[in-house]
Amino acid sequence: MKTNSRGYNWPDQCLAAVYFFLACGMYYFHDEYINLGIHFMYKFVLAAVLAALSFLIFLVRTDLGRGGCLLRHIVVLSLPHVAILMASVPLWVFQIQRMSQIRRGLSDQIYGLAMILAMAGILYTFGRRGLWLNLAAMLGANFITVAQVIRENGLSVYLQELRALVVTFANETGPVIQQMEIHELTFALGVYLVFYAINWKECRRDRAAMLLLGPALFCFLSGFKRIGAVAVAAAVLVSLLLRVLTRRSSGAFWLLAASFLVIGIAFLYICLVERGIFDYLSQRFGLNTMGRKELSEFIDQYYWIGPDFFGNGAGFVTRLFSDLPAEYTIRALHNDILMIYIDVGFWGFWGWMLCYFPLRVWNIYRRKGLKDGVLCLSLQVYVLVTAMTDNTLYYIYVTGALSICLMSCLLEEQEAGYA
């Protein structure tokens, strides 16, 4: 079989190209959908294609060791989605919720599960190199938009507005750079930047990782989100603190303690929102809460804090905002932590959080050790911080980036080349 100068055989190179273009399309078509009576997002369809293709490759090139490793982690990563569905089914039935809400709730979770399977499929086919192939596809999709914006407005204008955006910490956002506000993809790139920061020693020895770092940072800054930058800093700070705390004491204790502390902070945040934290910040400090004060006041009527709040079922909040009259311009709550609480209630929220934090962190710590356990916790802190003011828990690109970074930690280093 013919190989190139670096020893990669051409069938595997072609397979890498197929995966790259499928993934690139998945990341580029972030809002488009197929209408078959029920809307199917292109990104979901392409994620399902990637998963199916990977399963076929598994049948042809069966590696039970790698497949079993990924399957165990697929189960762990899927548990938060399963927890939401288990909490929602009785609510859908006994509250006799509309079928449109049930479809929305199901699709939110199914989309996330499809993305987890797609990322596992990439890693099965290409080993740890799949982590960088996926990032390359994300950047390829982002640079298509960059090229379109520069072609229409000019490079100098683009760079001037990008500089103003970064220097003013997003207080000054020009009309050209606004076209790069692809929130879902930008937040997903943030996951990779946290991975770079915490795994810097390993990443700097990887040629593919270093080649993609500059473009990743450029695209992240082009779609700059303040909460994203804060979340990256928070995640890195958590990793540094944990490394200090675990030098002379049990890593397992501090990882689990930090995981439960994060859950407590998330619940406290919900309590503060219910008590009017955004109204307080607006009046006391004159902060521009970007409409979140009004959103909080609007949603207050649909929940309360306490163990007797059982929720409304998954899909309730997204369906509620979709059904608002045309004069309402905001179509999302921009607070996924609160949205999950409203959807699945007090007990469902705690079940979801336990699956999301301690269980995942303990699974990776037990299999790979303290270093990767800290990485897992830090990456999830990044997602949780962004979810305080955005929809990142339901952004499947973020779910995918988080999943592939976590699953790649479980794979042994692969030999040069693909598959």
Side-chain angles (χ1 to χ4, degrees), residues 188-259:
L189 288 171
V191 175
Y192 268 95
L193 292 182
V194 174
F195 185 90
Y196 270 108
I198 297 175
N199 262 2
W200 176 246
K201 289 183 179 179
E202 291 77 10
C203 289
R204 70 181 181 180
R205 293 195 294 266
D206 191 310
R207 184 179 300 178
M210 296 310 297
L211 182 65
L212 295 171
L213 175 58
L217 186 58
F218 176 81
C219 289
F220 180 77
L221 293 176
S222 293
F224 190 77
K225 297 290 291 182
R226 279 176 286 196
I227 190 63
V230 171
V232 170
V236 174
L237 179 60
V238 166
S239 72
L240 293 175
L241 287 173
L242 284 172
R243 287 177 182 177
V244 171
L245 291 171
T246 55
R247 281 178 182 173
R248 297 183 179 179
S249 57
S250 170
F253 169 80
W254 284 111
L255 279 175
L256 288 178
S259 297

Side-chain angles (χ1 to χ4, degrees), residues 363-380:
N363 177 64
I364 288 187
Y365 168 77
R366 186 168 58 88
R367 295 185 182 282
K368 295 297 291 183
L370 178 61
K371 174 177 167 292
D372 289 315
V374 171
L375 175 65
C376 175
L377 179 61
S378 302
L379 287 172
Q380 298 195 146

Side-chain angles (χ1 to χ4, degrees), residues 81-340:
H81 300 278
V82 175
I84 289 177
L85 291 175
M86 290 181 65
S88 296
V89 170
L91 295 171
W92 289 335
V93 173
F94 292 113
Q95 295 181 5
I96 317 178
Q97 298 289 11
R98 293 179 300 168
M99 186 55 66
S100 59
Q101 175 191 326
I102 296 173
R103 283 200 302 268
R104 181 65 63 91
L106 281 172
S107 65
D108 285 341
Q109 305 312 316
I110 291 172
Y111 279 27
L113 292 171
M115 199 64 171
I116 292 171
L117 291 173
M119 296 300 102
I122 291 174
L123 286 176
Y124 178 81
T125 305
F126 302 104
R128 295 194 68 173
R129 291 183 178 275
L131 178 67
W132 308 116
L133 185 149
N134 181 64
L135 177 57
M138 293 169 66
L139 296 174
N142 211 318
F143 272 107
I144 292 173
T145 305
V146 170
Q148 292 171 340
V149 173
I150 291 176
R151 184 184 62 186
E152 294 172 1
N153 301 279
L155 178 61
S156 61
V157 176
Y158 184 97
L159 294 177
Q160 288 171 8
E161 292 195 5
L162 175 60
R163 180 181 179 278
L165 175 73
V166 176
V167 169
T168 64
F169 203 63
N171 281 328
E172 183 180 327
T173 307
V176 173
I177 205 66
Q178 280 182 354
Q179 299 176 61
M180 290 305 303
E181 290 186 359
I182 311 171
H183 297 174
E184 188 170 354
L185 195 51
T186 300
F187 283 125
L189 288 171
V191 175
Y192 268 95
L193 292 182
V194 174
F195 185 90
Y196 270 108
I198 297 175
N199 262 2
W200 176 246
K201 289 183 179 179
E202 291 77 10
C203 289
R204 70 181 181 180
R205 293 195 294 266
D206 191 310
R207 184 179 300 178
M210 296 310 297
L211 182 65
L212 295 171
L213 175 58
L217 186 58
F218 176 81
C219 289
F220 180 77
L221 293 176
S222 293
F224 190 77
K225 297 290 291 182
R226 279 176 286 196
I227 190 63
V230 171
V232 170
V236 174
L237 179 60
V238 166
S239 72
L240 293 175
L241 287 173
L242 284 172
R243 287 177 182 177
V244 171
L245 291 171
T246 55
R247 281 178 182 173
R248 297 183 179 179
S249 57
S250 170
F253 169 80
W254 284 111
L255 279 175
L256 288 178
S259 297
F260 282 104
L261 177 62
V262 170
I263 295 176
I265 291 172
F267 185 72
L268 176 62
Y269 174 70
I270 293 174
C271 296
L272 291 174
V273 171
E274 194 269 341
R275 293 285 179 150
I277 184 65
F278 290 121
D279 183 49
Y280 172 78
L281 292 173
S282 177
Q283 294 187 17
R284 180 69 175 81
F285 301 103
L287 295 179
N288 181 7
T289 59
M290 306 294 288
R292 288 175 177 83
K293 170 180 172 290
E294 291 72 22
L295 284 172
S296 177
E297 292 172 349
F298 168 76
I299 205 68
D300 276 350
Q301 60 187 303
Y302 296 102
Y303 74 101
W304 62 89
I305 304 298
D308 58 337
F309 177 69
F310 296 102
N312 302 278
F316 174 80
V317 174
T318 52
R319 189 73 265 169
L320 176 67
F321 278 89
S322 296
D323 292 343
L324 289 176
E327 59 265 24
Y328 288 84
T329 57
I330 298 177
R331 294 290 167 180
L333 182 57
H334 296 288
N335 186 340
D336 269 2
I337 299 174
L338 177 58
M339 184 169 78
I340 288 178

